[in-house]
Amino acid sequence: MTDGNFIDYIKIYAASGKGGQGSMHLHREKFIEKGGPDGGDGGRGGHVILRGNKDMWTLHHLRFLKHSRAGHGGAGGASRSTGADGEDKYLEVPLGTIVRNADTQEIMFEITTHGEEVILCEGGKGGLGNWHFKSATNQTPRYAQPGMPIVDGWFQIELKILADVGLVGFPNAGKSTLLSVVTAAKPKIADYAFTTLKPNVGIVGYRNYQSFVMADIPGIIEGANEGKGLGHYFLRHIERNSTLLFMIPADSDDIRTDYKILLNELELHNPELLHKDRLLAITKSDMLDEELKAEMEQELPEGVKTLFISSIANIGITELKDELWKMLNKEA
């Protein structure tokens, strides 16, 4: 998936179909006098429905869909014939999609399972035909109900990536390189900051044909929660990761301070992120010998397990995958 194809936010106008008009019809047939009312009901207006699709990873297919309208219900007919229901409008979305009311910013619902369907705009109910209103004192009612009007509005559709492991680190910490090594993903890799402009997702193959999903977001810098850098815009994706893999390069001036900065940015964005399982990987460790590693271990952050890895030299990658698998499958 290229950067240009990853869309995780859109705003659309959606409108359901209006209900069909009930029929005001009086039965007419040879040899039958005063056949009475037999007007049928109007059909239901079409719904606008969001449906979860596990094979989608982006909202790119909805990027240019500014308006989404369902079909109107058909009018009722003679002989109590019910009008046709309006055509429902389905919008396929990736798992992890949330929908907000664009005016109030209230979260309406979220879709997290494949095939899950939620009505965004409910179609108008069809009006009742005049035969419903027949009574002993009103045997020829000459009126019927109109259909219910449309339901419409502006909505924000946002994607929060559903992944097992989320990569957290500063720009150039080696996140994209790790993702390219352990998955089939092809993120952009270069020796300058912010080469990752959009989240990347890959499936990590594990032993006995098992797997888990790993997501890489643009690098976080101090002040990201205030809008600095690029990571602030994508911090919401971390909310859906069950385990966070912090990545700090071995040439960092102060690993413990860098780790605290990353933790602080997550806490300021959403304090609940601190309750997720965490693992720290010291990247680019191929430049370290055993003596340097021993010295660095004295200065590592407390309260988090740390591994030394090198994606390029394939150092510690198997141990990293083993540890992540153990964390993801631990008993609650």
Side-chain angles (χ1 to χ4, degrees):
M1 180 188 306
T2 65
D3 286 345
N5 287 337
F6 186 89
I7 303 295
D8 61 353
Y9 172 91
I10 62 169
K11 184 177 180 180
I12 67 168
Y13 169 82
S16 66
K18 65 181 179 181
Q21 167 79 39
S23 173
M24 188 203 70
H25 186 268
L26 299 176
H27 185 68
R28 293 290 183 268
E29 188 176 345
K30 190 176 182 179
F31 305 123
I32 298 179
E33 294 185 36
K34 300 178 181 180
D38 70 345
D41 302 340
R44 170 185 65 79
H47 303 316
V48 178
I49 302 172
L50 266 64
R51 180 164 56 197
N53 187 329
K54 64 179 176 60
D55 297 321
M56 290 183 170
W57 294 96
T58 174
L59 298 173
H60 181 264
H61 62 294
L62 302 177
R63 181 177 185 179
F64 301 107
L65 181 68
K66 300 301 182 183
H67 300 84
S68 180
R69 293 183 172 91
H72 298 309
S79 302
R80 301 186 183 182
S81 297
T82 301
D85 289 342
E87 182 180 0
D88 294 331
K89 180 70 173 181
Y90 285 89
L91 302 178
E92 302 272 344
V93 294
L95 307 187
T97 296
I98 66 171
V99 179
R100 297 178 187 269
N101 183 299
D103 296 325
T104 65
Q105 292 299 301
E106 177 187 2
I107 295 179
M108 301 172 60
F109 56 85
E110 58 183 316
I111 293 180
T112 57
T113 58
H114 180 68
E116 178 182 0
E117 296 182 1
V118 181
I119 296 176
L120 179 63
C121 295
E122 187 172 1
K125 185 178 179 180
L128 298 178
N130 66 339
W131 75 272
H132 285 281
F133 305 107
K134 178 181 178 181
S135 67
T137 56
N138 186 11
Q139 296 187 6
T140 55
R142 298 179 183 274
Y143 52 83
Q145 286 183 337
M148 297 296 289
I150 67 172
V151 175
D152 66 340
W154 284 93
F155 304 93
Q156 292 177 194
I157 301 179
E158 303 174 9
L159 171 62
K160 294 183 179 181
I161 292 177
L162 287 172
D164 299 306
V165 179
L167 305 183
V168 181
F170 294 110
N172 273 5
K175 303 187 301 298
S176 296
T177 304
L178 174 65
L179 190 70
S180 69
V181 169
V182 299
T183 76
K186 303 298 180 185
K188 184 177 180 180
I189 301 172
D191 58 354
Y192 54 85
F194 296 117
T195 51
T196 300
L197 301 177
K198 301 288 183 180
N200 293 291
V201 179
I203 298 177
V204 181
Y206 192 60
R207 307 173 193 271
N208 300 321
Y209 304 102
Q210 300 175 106
S211 63
F212 56 90
V213 179
M214 180 178 286
D216 165 31
I217 70 165
I220 299 172
I221 64 174
E222 189 170 11
N225 69 93
E226 300 172 353
K228 296 181 181 179
L230 297 174
H232 72 283
Y233 185 74
F234 302 103
L235 279 170
R236 67 174 179 271
H237 293 299
I238 300 177
E239 297 174 10
R240 296 294 179 84
N241 304 152
S242 59
T243 297
L244 302 180
L245 175 59
F246 287 75
M247 301 182 66
I248 299 176
D251 56 2
S252 167
D253 293 333
D254 191 331
I255 293 177
R256 184 175 297 180
T257 298
D258 287 349
Y259 179 70
K260 289 181 179 179
I261 291 174
L262 292 171
L263 273 184
N264 185 58
E265 292 303 320
L266 297 189
E267 182 178 19
L268 291 174
H269 173 72
N270 184 349
E272 293 185 4
L273 293 176
L274 299 188
H275 299 301
K276 294 182 178 292
D277 291 335
R278 302 194 295 267
L279 180 65
L280 175 60
I282 307 302
T283 64
K284 307 177 184 179
S285 295
D286 52 307
M287 64 178 68
L288 304 176
D289 56 25
E290 294 302 321
E291 184 177 347
L292 280 174
K293 287 183 182 180
E295 292 180 7
M296 292 179 64
E297 287 175 352
Q298 306 303 316
E299 304 297 329
L300 292 176
E302 299 177 354
V304 59
K305 184 168 183 176
T306 304
L307 297 176
F308 289 89
I309 70 168
S310 171
S311 301
I312 297 297
N314 197 28
I315 296 174
I317 300 301
T318 299
E319 292 79 1
L320 176 65
K321 292 164 68 173
D322 286 340
E323 187 62 31
L324 289 172
W325 183 262
K326 187 188 307 180
M327 295 171 69
L328 292 171
N329 292 276
K330 70 177 182 179
E331 295 183 1

